[in-house]
Amino acid sequence: MTETNVEAPSVEKNGRQHYRMFIDGQWVDTPEHYDVLNPATGEVTRTVAKGSTDHVDLAVAAARRAFDAGTWRNTPPVERAAVIDRAAGMVAARMEELALGVSLETGMPIKLARAMSVGFPFMQMQHYAELTRKYEWTRSAPV
């Protein structure tokens, strides 16, 4: 599989963390953005790119090309597991940042955000990577 440049999804913009969209292997920003508010204070905690229907069309077209190319389905299971492990590692490396973002956006207590909104998906990724490694992908049918 080819490596994708997965730099930080956020940049500093107007003194706040700003999140871009990831479309077709590239970070895409827009002149307009959505404000993400802390429900307890009403304070803008970060911004996110305001995607349009054109962005949706680009993302769907990229997904279609990726599907038609068959790269993922033709990737050996052990390599798929490595990709899932790498993604899980990225989540683990940013666990506190992600949990804080969930907490600030939803008002969820940080411990709950860390466990349910970040920790549980991280554990699921680890679980599926392990299943991918252990599953018997081919077996003989009874004759």
Side-chain angles (χ1 to χ4, degrees), residues 8 23 29 33 35 53 59 65 72 76 79 89 92 95 97 101 103 109 113 125:
I23 301 174
D29 207 350
H33 65 269
D35 291 336
T53 55
R65 283 191 309 277
W72 183 252
E79 290 180 37
M95 180 97 48
E97 174 193 350
S103 179
M125 293 168 86

Side-chain angles (χ1 to χ4, degrees), residues 74-122:
N74 294 318
T75 299
V78 76
E79 290 180 37
R80 290 184 193 192
V83 170
I84 297 168
D85 284 334
R86 182 169 176 244
M90 291 175 176
V91 170
R94 297 182 53 225
M95 180 97 48
E96 290 305 313
E97 174 193 350
L98 295 168
L100 179 62
V102 169
S103 179
L104 289 174
E105 183 176 340
T106 65
M108 183 184 295
I110 188 74
K111 284 184 177 183
L112 188 59
R114 190 180 300 118
M116 297 303 295
S117 295
V118 186
F120 184 69
F122 167 73

Side-chain angles (χ1 to χ4, degrees), residues 9 59 107 113 130:
E130 191 60 25

